């Protein structure tokens, strides 16, 4: 009872929720949005472009294809027609690899960033383009004679973003509908077992927030006001029972919950929920509309490609200090924390996390270092009460819960705080997978 008494004579604030939405969220909905999928599309585009090329050399700023010796034909168009690839076209990646392998006849040169991307896919079967960009940027500042400049890297990154925008724009979302299981998770009540031990008071305050609301407000919150059904009557009866048997009144007029178990479960839902999307697609907007929630596209979206943020955001990295000391602004051009100043999205997130205690749900975001600055702000903020990852369960029964937690760890400077706030696997679950869209 002492814990409840300590909450009296102070402003009672309810809890909110932030749902971090990363690329795994789009993948869970059947969209081929891995960087590997994008690169496969890129090579397919190259095959089509070469089929239409009436020159011996073609370049897009990332890659250059040249015919070195005469093949009996003078252009890519005539050469590809000669071998009948227009009628039985291979995959673009296979075609490009064949050209690369035939060094006597063809010359295929790649930019340093594209080369690093292809190398990662070949060696690891996956790639993080933003991380590869940042690695190259660090290498260039540590070795000025490396052979490329930050200006060149930034041009290459913008070329990739331009192509990525095209690729994502081709994906078909016609007929898309929200998944009920995911919608329910996003809007589900707050669970006591998810809350950090150091933040129990925030959960109790959330309970007391509802105890201090009048009956009609509670009825409306539960969609049971002015509705004459057996279910609505049962809900109102549950609210009345809660207020009569699980709430104590003190001389100053404050009401305090004395029995958490009697609170109607739906009253434990967060007051406000923000869908903080790191994706460029519009799937997040479908959920925000269906669940009547606020969607914040922190990196922009396809509706305004010129404002899309694509780069790196790790101010905790030692190399970032070198970028600041260097007098070349090209090193800072694609640093996310600076690009955030170009739109109100980041400020909107700050206003949200300053307003009240909040949970963090992670859906499809790897929590890697490319967003480390923003994630550190979210995870170590005084109002953060828990961090709950919804992991990916693979066909062989394994999952990536530990991978996500290891990445979350890198976004903390206080490991004791991290262990308290991250929800242990016992209380976590996989992100539901949705039937293929395309």
């Amino acid at each position: 009872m002492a814990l409840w008494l300590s909450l009296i004579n102070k402003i009672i604030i309810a809890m909110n929720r932030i749902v971090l939405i990363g690329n795994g969220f789009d993948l869970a909905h059947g969209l081929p949005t891995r960087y590997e999928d994008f690169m496969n599309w890129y090579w397919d585009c190259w095959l089509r472009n070469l089929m239409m090329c009436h020159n011996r050399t073609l370049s897009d700023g990332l890659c250059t294809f040249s015919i070195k010796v005469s093949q009996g034909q003078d252009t890519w168009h005539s050469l590809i027609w000669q071998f009948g690839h227009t009628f039985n076209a291979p995959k673009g990646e296979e075609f490009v690899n064949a050209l690369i392998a035939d060094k006597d006849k063809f010359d295929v040169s790649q930019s340093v960033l594209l080369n690093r991307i292809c190398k990662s896919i070949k060696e690891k079967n996956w790639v993080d383009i933003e991380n590869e960009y940042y690695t190259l940027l660090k290498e260039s500042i540590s070795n000025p004679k490396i052979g490329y400049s930050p200006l060149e890297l930034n041009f290459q990154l913008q070329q990739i973003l331009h192509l990525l925008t095209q690729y994502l724009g081709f994906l078909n979302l016609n007929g898309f509908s929200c998944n009920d299981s995911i919608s329910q998770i996003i809007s589900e009540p707050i669970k006591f077992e998810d809350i950090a031990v150091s933040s129990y008071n925030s959960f109790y305050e959330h309970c007391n927030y509802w105890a201090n609301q009048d009956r009609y407000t509670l009825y409306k919150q539960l969609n049971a006001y002015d509705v004459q059904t057996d279910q609505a009557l049962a809900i109102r009866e549950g609210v009345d029972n809660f207020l009569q048997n699980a709430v104590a009144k003190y001389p100053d007029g404050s009401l305090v919950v004395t029995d958490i178990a009697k609170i109607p479960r739906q009253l434990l839902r967060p007051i406000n929920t923000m869908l903080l999307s790191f994706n460029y697609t519009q799937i997040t907007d479908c959920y925000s509309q269906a669940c009547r929630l606020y969607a914040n596209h922190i990196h922009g979206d396809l509706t305004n490609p010129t404002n899309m943020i694509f780069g790196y955001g790790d101010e905790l990295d030692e190399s970032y200090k070198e970028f600041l000391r260097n007098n070349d602004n090209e090193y800072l051009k694609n640093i996310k924390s600076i690009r955030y100043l170009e739109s109100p999205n980041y400020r909107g997130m700050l206003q949200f996390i300053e307003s009240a205690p909040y949970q963090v749900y992670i859906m499809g975001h790897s929590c890697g270092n490319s967003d480390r600055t923003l994630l550190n702000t979210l995870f170590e903020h005084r109002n953060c009460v828990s961090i709950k990852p919804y992991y990916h369960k693979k066909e062989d029964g394994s999952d990536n819960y530990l991978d996500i937690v290891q990445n979350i760890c890198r976004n903390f400077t206080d490991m004791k705080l991290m262990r308290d706030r991250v929800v242990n696997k016992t209380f976590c679950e996989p992100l539901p997978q949705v039937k293929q869209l395309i």
Side-chain angles (χ1 to χ4, degrees), residues 192-205:
F192 177 75
E193 60 267 24
D194 289 348
I195 306 301
V197 174
S198 60
S199 299
Y200 280 169
N201 278 0
S202 295
F203 180 79
Y204 297 145
E205 284 197 44

Side-chain angles (χ1 to χ4, degrees), residues 156-186:
Q156 294 165 26
L157 188 71
Q158 288 306 307
Q159 287 292 95
I160 290 175
L161 177 58
H162 174 69
L163 291 164
L164 181 61
T165 301
Q166 290 183 38
Y167 172 68
L168 295 176
F170 289 145
L171 299 182
N172 182 16
L173 293 180
N174 291 334
F176 173 79
S177 60
C178 298
N179 177 265
D180 290 340
S181 296
I182 293 178
S183 295
Q184 290 172 11
I185 291 174
I186 290 174

Side-chain angles (χ1 to χ4, degrees), residues 217-236:
T217 299
L218 297 178
Y219 293 164
K220 288 181 179 180
Q221 174 68 16
L222 299 175
N223 297 319
Y225 180 66
D226 281 344
V227 179
Q228 299 301 318
T229 65
D230 291 341
Q231 182 180 9
L233 292 173
I235 290 174
R236 293 203 288 270

Side-chain angles (χ1 to χ4, degrees), residues 148-161:
Y148 56 85
S149 67
L151 179 65
E152 293 173 284
L153 281 179
N154 288 334
F155 171 78
Q156 294 165 26
L157 188 71
Q158 288 306 307
Q159 287 292 95
I160 290 175
L161 177 58

